[in-house]
Amino acid sequence: MTGVYDMAVDEVGVRGATDPAGEAWERMRELTHDPAVLGRVHDIAGEAGIIGGAAKALKYLSRTEPTPMRQLAADLRCDTSYITTIVDNLEEAGVARRQAHPTDRRIKVVVLTDAGQALADRVAEIMGTPPPAFDQLDDQERTALRDLLRKLSVVTEAPRR
């Protein structure tokens, strides 16, 4: 009898199916890049007049203190020149303001407006809602999955704002 991990890739339709870690990673990526969820975020971004990258940036902008543009670039893992485009877009839409750092005027920081905080909350709600696939798991399985992912993310967890 052949197990799922012994099947050829094309038989199960998942790259890395012969490697449990590879298959798990591929399936996690499928879940986190659910077209329905990303589509809703892009719809909200479009309604707000911002680009997709700016919607993603909202996750990393602090609700309580200014965020240095360099820190935003690091959080998004992109070049600082792209952050200028993102922040320009957020400013044009009225959801953020760029200003000098309070104690070091050489540093530019980004501050969410009230409208920006409301938009960030909407995006966070959508991104924080598990896709329908999670309905296939009972409470014990969801808890086990959460615990396993916590174990994996201890090393890579980004600071939460």
Side-chain angles (χ1 to χ4, degrees):
M1 182 171 184
T2 305
V4 68
Y5 302 119
D6 299 322
M7 294 180 177
V9 170
D10 58 347
E11 288 182 57
V12 294
V14 177
R15 222 174 313 143
T18 58
D19 169 28
E23 181 178 352
W25 177 243
E26 185 73 21
R27 291 183 186 273
M28 285 190 318
R29 289 182 51 80
E30 288 172 4
L31 287 170
T32 60
H33 291 81
D34 183 304
V37 172
L38 296 178
R40 288 195 304 272
V41 170
H42 282 280
D43 289 347
I44 288 175
E47 291 169 16
I50 62 174
I51 58 177
K56 183 178 177 183
L58 293 172
K59 173 184 177 186
Y60 298 101
L61 292 172
S62 173
R63 310 295 195 269
T64 59
E65 59 188 57
T67 303
M69 289 180 61
R70 188 173 302 267
Q71 181 61 51
L72 183 58
D75 289 342
L76 289 170
R77 293 174 176 81
C78 68
D79 190 76
T80 54
S81 63
Y82 182 57
I83 291 302
T84 299
T85 300
I86 287 175
V87 175
D88 286 348
N89 184 244
L90 291 169
E91 280 190 307
E92 289 166 8
V95 296
R97 290 185 321 274
R98 178 184 355 229
Q99 57 192 44
H101 188 277
T103 60
D104 187 345
R105 298 191 57 78
R106 296 170 296 172
I107 299 171
K108 297 295 182 205
V109 296
V110 183
V111 178
L112 287 173
T113 63
D114 290 341
Q117 289 190 14
L119 182 60
D121 290 344
R122 284 180 66 200
V123 169
E125 181 180 338
I126 289 170
M127 295 300 290
T129 302
F134 278 69
D135 295 341
Q136 301 299 311
L137 303 175
D138 62 31
D139 287 342
Q140 186 176 3
E141 290 169 323
R142 282 191 288 266
T143 299
L145 177 61
R146 181 207 59 205
D147 293 346
L148 288 169
L149 292 172
R150 280 181 177 171
K151 185 176 182 178
L152 292 173
S153 65
V154 167
V155 176
T156 61
E157 191 167 273
R160 297 175 196 256
R161 298 199 187 274

